[in-house]
Amino acid sequence: MAPSKSPKAILFDIGGVCVLSPLEAISTYENKNNIPSDWINYAISRSAPNGSWQQLERGEIKMDKDFFRGFNADLRNEKLWKEFHESFRNSKKKLKDVANPTQLGDHVSLKAEAADSRPTDQDRGSQETSKPKDNSSTNQAKTPGRPSLSKLAKDTTIVDPVSLESEDVAQSSHDGSTSTNEKSKSSSSPSPPEATATLVSLPPLPEIDGESLFWSMMSHSRNPDPYVFPALLQLKKLAVNERPVIAALSNTVIFPPGHPYNRLDDPPESDPRGQFDIFVASADVGLRKPDPKIYQLAIEELDKLDKEKGGSGVKAEDCVFLDDIGENLKTAKGLGMKTIKVVPGKTWRAVKELEQATGLSLMDERTRRSKL
């Protein structure tokens, strides 16, 4: 059934949408090195808004020794390590329950969501590339048969290596609070030895090689998603007047000159960046999701392009936006865009929803038979 109103533009995130999520590489690294689950995402996210990762994605610093020094420091922040254990690990709260809603973005691990969303037997289909990876270190290598994405970056930019914005950041500051009388009573009586041990017994900070971790994330996120990327290629094949404008809105990093990831000698069909009419990259514009300003910038670019082609222009409500991060989608929805959540391991569902939104056929028949 054709939609009541076809969108004028489709905006794609890259990492976790068009290509595999680097969060999977983080999970593998933690498991391999016996690092507490979610610590790496927690350390990166709670360093916002001016942690080394966030500055790199805004293009404020270079990817050099100073960046990796700062990144390692963020991963070894003793204050955050203590907070992680006392507020999250010891209380067994979800990271979203300790998120600080006053900071911009980056507050919650999505690795748990990715694990919970691994495809079931029903979700797996006939495409071999849709099979979930295990956590062995051998799976960091590129799967044979997948198209190379070394053209992922034009010039020195790679698209959306990771976004860690929060799914839900609403948390009452009074959770777990006690009355004045209760506090007085508790302070007058000695704490049980077990409680004291919980507060003072803090395991040592895990040793993390930030540079090794970083490159494993970059390598993993250069593999195409087995469903969304083919749908993007199918869109691109359509005549311009038969499809919406295709745009990317992605948090990015800039690689050093001469880095192998900057090579542009791969075939165009394996380069996600080459499939878009407009590409808004955080490291190029100095803004990153979920800042509303970068969405507004993307809408302005779409509006300009549409008017140049004789159209009436593009507004937020004319756009469909796909992302794997809830906070990024929340901002887009607040501006008036239609949003589609891309769930790790079940990305074919996002393609199905995109088909419903556009009225276009974007799945190959074998996938359609196995999924629908």
Side-chain angles (χ1 to χ4, degrees), residues 74-283:
D74 291 341
L75 296 173
R76 292 189 58 80
N77 186 309
E78 292 184 1
K79 181 180 178 181
L80 292 181
W81 179 242
K82 181 179 180 181
E83 178 186 288
F84 175 74
H85 278 272
E86 292 183 354
S87 300
F88 172 59
R89 298 286 294 179
N90 289 343
S91 63
K92 297 182 180 180
K93 289 183 178 181
K94 298 269 188 190
L95 286 181
K96 66 182 179 181
D97 292 333
V98 296
N100 182 349
T102 66
Q103 296 181 6
L104 173 62
D106 280 11
H107 293 297
V108 89
S109 165
L110 299 181
K111 180 155 41 52
E113 175 184 344
D116 292 341
S117 304
R118 296 199 189 285
T120 62
D121 290 339
Q122 181 179 0
D123 293 329
R124 288 184 183 101
S126 55
Q127 296 189 12
E128 292 184 0
T129 53
S130 67
K131 294 179 180 179
K133 298 176 180 292
D134 62 28
N135 286 327
S136 65
S137 59
T138 57
N139 277 347
Q140 289 300 310
K142 185 181 295 185
T143 303
R146 281 191 174 127
S148 168
L149 290 187
S150 62
K151 284 193 63 183
L152 187 62
K154 183 173 290 184
D155 298 327
T156 57
T157 303
I158 184 172
V159 285
D160 211 354
V162 70
S163 295
L164 303 171
E165 279 73 16
S166 62
E167 290 289 329
D168 295 293
V169 295
Q171 166 69 15
S172 170
S173 62
H174 301 293
D175 283 359
S177 62
T178 57
S179 68
T180 304
N181 290 336
E182 289 172 330
K183 289 180 180 177
S184 177
K185 290 178 182 178
S186 63
S187 62
S188 62
S189 57
S191 300
E194 296 81 6
T196 303
T198 300
L199 291 174
V200 301
S201 178
L202 189 67
L205 270 164
E207 292 291 337
I208 299 176
D209 183 342
E211 188 166 358
S212 175
L213 168 66
F214 180 87
W215 290 117
S216 69
M217 294 165 68
M218 297 299 100
S219 175
H220 189 75
S221 63
R222 296 178 76 80
N223 294 311
D225 182 84
Y227 300 108
V228 179
F229 187 66
L232 176 61
L233 294 177
Q234 186 64 28
L235 274 170
K236 185 66 173 179
K237 289 178 183 178
L238 299 175
V240 174
N241 61 348
E242 295 178 354
R243 63 166 173 81
V245 176
I246 308 171
L249 177 56
S250 183
N251 289 345
T252 64
V253 300
I254 298 176
F255 291 109
H259 190 276
Y261 286 175
N262 294 327
R263 293 185 308 181
L264 301 176
D265 55 357
D266 283 349
E269 63 272 13
S270 66
D271 175 17
R273 183 155 189 158
Q275 311 308 320
F276 299 103
D277 303 312
I278 291 174
F279 200 107
V280 179
S282 68

Side-chain angles (χ1 to χ4, degrees), residues 320-354:
V320 175
F321 177 56
L322 292 86
D323 204 298
D324 61 323
I325 307 297
E327 188 68 8
N328 296 344
L329 294 166
K330 181 179 178 181
T331 300
K333 188 172 184 179
L335 292 171
M337 294 183 185
K338 175 179 174 55
T339 59
I340 296 177
K341 176 70 178 291
V342 182
V343 178
K346 299 179 181 180
T347 57
W348 63 270
R349 294 181 177 179
V351 176
K352 178 182 177 182
E353 194 171 344
L354 184 59

Side-chain angles (χ1 to χ4, degrees), residues 304-321:
K304 179 181 177 181
L305 178 62
D306 188 66
K307 288 178 178 177
E308 287 176 352
K309 294 181 177 181
S312 59
V314 173
K315 297 181 176 62
E317 53 265 32
D318 298 319
C319 304
V320 175
F321 177 56

Side-chain angles (χ1 to χ4, degrees), residues 29-48:
Y29 186 94
E30 287 179 333
N31 290 333
K32 179 182 177 182
N33 293 281
N34 297 316
I35 296 170
S37 179
D38 287 315
W39 161 241
I40 292 176
N41 276 337
Y42 189 90
I44 295 174
S45 68
R46 297 289 285 190
S47 297

